[in-house]
Amino acid sequence: MNNVLPFNASGLKVLTFAVASTMATTTLASNPLYKSAYSFGDSLSDTGNLGLVFSDKTVAVQNVAAALVYPMEPSMKGGNNFAVGGNTGKEIHASVTSPEPYEPDSPNKTPQSTYFMRYGATANKNALYMIIGGGNDAKYVASEDRTPLQVARNIVGSANALGSFGAKYIILLNVPDVGDTPGGPSYLDHPANQLTKASIAMNINIKAQVEASNENILLLNLNRLFQEVQRDPASYGFKDLPPERVNKTCMSKGRLTVPCGGDGEERFYQDDPDKSVFWDGLHPTSTMHKITSDYILQTIRGATEIGSLPRLGFSHNHLLDDSVLSELNQYRWETIEPGTLNFFGSAGGMENQIYNPVDNKNSENRGYVVQAGMHYQLTEMLKLGAAIQTAETKYEPGSSSYKTESLGGSAFANYTRERFFSDLTISYLDLDYHNKRGFNLGAQQRRESSSTSGKLYGFVLDAGYALYDDGFLRAGPIVTGSYHKSTTDGFAESGNSSTAMAFGEQDLDFKSVAGGVFLDVRNAQNRFGLQLDYNKDLDNDDVRDIDLRQKAMSRMAYLPADVTKQDAWRMKFRLGHNLTPDVLLYGSYQFTKADEHQTDYQMIQLGISWSL
């Protein structure tokens, strides 16, 4: 967007810093959406409950927990990871619900502790719970000792149990194709096609069980992700690994948990995690685990990025309200003859930050606004008017890009009587969002595109009284109240990749009150205004959730989007000069300093107004 105003002038930054330092002293407070992380499953997630990790380095759930700044230690050492190598759905369910230790389905029969033993029927509602399992069940399904429905009931039942304990955020990954692995057929004692068939049947039933569940379970297609990597391993960072060799290549030829082969066919060995999807005959390398954790994290981060759309829309209404009030304030203490008609036009630029609590960082949202309007002096004390506006902003967190366009307007009024004044603006905007959600899956850079629309409406009402008034300088208290509602339509991202998501509708209210002081200085030709106040967000600081699902799935779940509360200090400067008795040139600058997360806002505006 080439026409976004550059807002990085060093002088302005110095002024902003100086102003902010005098207004408030704040520190960046970490307020992550997830207070902890837990894991359940089999060897794909085990971080040492059997004394080893089934990969060359870290596994996916460790990477996810690390990104959320939490450890993922084995439950046997007091940690939050209850996944154990060899677990089938039956043992996974026991790891959640059993009141006593259970034996894993593996040669190592060391009794394992359970979530229920430590926490009882209580779950942390602000924690992330991850479940990955089902691969070990394939041999039982293939031999018809266990049905796919029984497996699904055990695995999804584990998620249901966590939900009944109070868990809000549960991510469940389905079963990868264990038949399409270097050593799965020999280790699980069934031909590849039977294991593949078993994997498909289990996933069909897992999906059906999730759709029938009353708990909040986000189902992700790990099976599809492995297929995508196998079709083009080079794009994900695997070197010298042709697609046809993915299921015949292991990283190490030596100490293997699952033999790499055993069917008499040739196998290939690459002593490098970047050259093999599989560490042994069944378990992924750390490179593939990194791709898997990126897959989970793109969903978590996607919720916060798409969840920011209502805030992007609100920033456009911020531009509209500030522009209208700046115009009204130029005429606040003027004696204007009833019947006078004024036209005005203005343009401006803005910059604010959107806070992502997952990564505890801000990204800038920048844009421009163009506005035109008119106001009519109905009586000596009452002014009425209307304005139209078009605006565009661009928000770029990481490799993502979100462009927001708006068109709308405002009806407004000003009432002034002696030392008292009050302004009212009522606004409405149509919003268009053009989204490119960007992220990495290992070495592959991927973008999911979408578009949607929304609306924003609301009002701002302020009132002030000049306690001091000598005809040249006026000063006193000012109070402001506002309410806005930003709505965003639900939409689906284009394409059918494993990362294409669908998002539900969003409604976000912005309610606030502010109190402070104003100062106006003016003569026949020039005017100067200053306003300093504190804006109190009346919304609570609870976590706001957003509905989403993988596009191939039919059931929505929800993940946290943001923390709604945003208290802030605000300061506004205004300058005006009568070029002629009928033509006024003016400019304004506003700066907002948030109490938390440094989500500051600044806007600069230049305008012209003339009377008829």
Side-chain angles (χ1 to χ4, degrees), residues 210-507:
V210 169
E211 290 172 348
S213 173
N214 292 322
E215 305 300 336
N216 180 53
I217 306 169
L218 178 61
L219 178 60
L220 299 181
N221 198 338
L222 182 61
N223 189 295
R224 177 70 175 272
L225 177 66
F226 269 81
Q227 292 174 7
E228 291 174 350
V229 172
Q230 182 163 338
R231 284 197 296 266
D232 187 12
S235 71
Y236 293 88
F238 292 104
K239 308 169 186 174
D240 305 322
L241 182 63
E244 63 272 12
R245 287 190 179 182
V246 169
N247 64 351
K248 300 181 183 299
T249 302
C250 296
M251 175 184 161
S252 177
K253 192 175 182 178
R255 179 173 55 86
L256 302 176
T257 304
V258 178
C260 188
D263 53 9
E265 294 187 15
E266 182 181 11
R267 290 294 187 271
F268 304 91
Y269 300 96
Q270 301 281 3
D271 196 12
D272 184 342
D274 290 341
K275 294 183 177 182
S276 177
V277 171
F278 295 97
W279 172 60
D280 61 9
L282 190 61
H283 303 102
T285 61
S286 58
T287 301
M288 186 62 212
H289 273 293
K290 177 63 167 60
I291 295 168
T292 303
S293 60
D294 286 346
Y295 176 55
I296 299 171
L297 286 166
Q298 62 84 22
T299 302
I300 294 171
R301 292 190 176 104
T304 63
E305 290 185 12
I306 298 301
S308 70
L309 295 185
R311 294 197 181 280
L312 300 181
F314 179 60
S315 71
H316 285 231
N317 202 93
H318 223 318
L319 293 170
L320 177 57
D321 291 338
D322 291 344
S323 298
V324 168
L325 291 174
S326 181
E327 168 71 18
L328 288 176
N329 293 342
Q330 298 298 327
Y331 294 93
R332 180 177 287 167
W333 307 107
E334 296 289 323
T335 300
I336 301 176
E337 183 179 347
T340 301
L341 182 64
N342 279 69
F343 294 89
F344 65 92
S346 66
M350 62 79 68
E351 174 187 84
N352 74 308
Q353 287 80 42
I354 304 294
Y355 174 63
N356 181 347
V358 172
D359 297 314
N360 194 18
K361 63 187 295 186
N362 298 313
S363 297
E364 291 182 344
N365 175 40
R366 297 177 177 177
Y368 73 93
V369 58
V370 177
Q371 188 181 86
M374 58 181 291
H375 48 83
Y376 179 74
Q377 193 72 32
L378 185 65
T379 70
E380 290 184 356
M381 293 178 288
L382 182 61
K383 186 192 306 290
L384 302 176
I388 58 173
Q389 171 185 287
T390 181
E392 180 179 304
T393 60
K394 199 168 188 179
Y395 170 53
E396 296 182 317
S399 57
S400 300
S401 176
Y402 299 92
K403 185 171 77 170
T404 306
E405 300 169 337
S406 68
L407 179 65
S410 175
F412 56 88
N414 165 262
Y415 178 81
T416 303
R417 182 175 182 178
E418 297 177 348
R419 297 188 178 200
F420 174 80
F421 69 88
S422 180
D423 303 304
L424 171 67
T425 69
I426 301 173
S427 53
Y428 174 84
L429 292 174
D430 279 321
L431 302 162
D432 289 312
Y433 300 98
H434 306 278
N435 313 316
K436 293 182 179 179
R437 188 170 61 89
F439 49 90
N440 283 2
L441 293 179
Q444 185 185 85
Q445 294 184 338
R446 186 176 288 193
R447 276 195 170 189
E448 299 292 353
S449 299
S450 61
S451 62
T452 189
S453 59
K455 300 183 186 301
L456 192 143
Y457 53 89
F459 71 89
V460 176
L461 176 65
D462 68 14
Y465 186 81
L467 291 175
Y468 180 87
D469 182 357
D470 64 3
F472 172 71
L473 185 151
R474 296 172 177 85
I478 184 170
V479 294
T480 305
S482 67
Y483 170 79
H484 296 87
K485 177 178 280 292
S486 181
T487 67
T488 305
D489 296 338
F491 64 94
E493 295 174 329
S494 61
N496 293 301
S497 66
S498 62
T499 51
M501 304 289 292
F503 297 89
E505 297 179 355
Q506 298 184 68
D507 289 329

Side-chain angles (χ1 to χ4, degrees), residues 592-603:
T592 299
K593 180 69 177 176
D595 282 355
E596 297 180 350
H597 316 310
Q598 297 182 355
T599 51
D600 305 332
Y601 167 88
Q602 54 182 333
M603 173 189 175

